Amino acid sequence: QVQLVESGGGLVQPGGSLKLSCATSGIDVSINAMTWYRQTPENQREMVASLSSSGDTVYAPSVKGRFAISKDNAKNMVFLQMNSLVPEDTGVYYCHAHRHRLTWGQGTQVTVSS
């Protein structure tokens, strides 16, 4: 019953914005470090943004200043606001809970293209 369901991806032009959502079940977001990862078309997985249970954030250098991770503890949801998108942001985005390390959702596709 531990699930993560990502949504909100799509096709967007460079310079555009998207907001991704991660709905969870069987996960207490308030006590988990939550992280967004992306799988690039070259099948490279990289950490994009992380949010600790205390509210501290960490961003990949390539997205710092453009992306913002947030959460709603009451709804057990995590979000990723992505602004000023560039083609290099293209990939499948996944959210992940540190206390449920073996559980992954289906991901949501983000394509940044002219």
Side-chain angles (χ1 to χ4, degrees), residues 85-97:
L85 286 161
V86 296
E88 291 75 20
D89 295 321
T90 293
V92 181
Y93 284 68
Y94 301 87
C95 63
H96 185 258

Side-chain angles (χ1 to χ4, degrees), residues 45-113:
R45 177 169 287 180
E46 61 181 344
M47 187 277 292
V48 175
S50 187
L51 177 63
S52 76
S53 59
S54 62
D56 295 325
T57 58
V58 177
Y59 295 96
S62 62
V63 310
K64 192 171 185 178
R66 301 188 296 117
F67 289 13
I69 186 171
S70 62
K71 65 179 181 179
D72 185 330
N73 288 335
K75 297 180 179 179
N76 280 320
M77 293 190 69
V78 186
F79 308 96
L80 184 67
Q81 178 67 50
M82 306 187 297
N83 299 323
S84 302
L85 286 161
V86 296
E88 291 75 20
D89 295 321
T90 293
V92 181
Y93 284 68
Y94 301 87
C95 63
H96 185 258
H98 182 70
R99 295 189 179 213
H100 303 272
R101 297 180 301 278
L102 300 181
T103 301
W104 297 86
Q106 82 289 345
T108 185
Q109 175 72 47
V110 172
T111 303
V112 185
S113 177

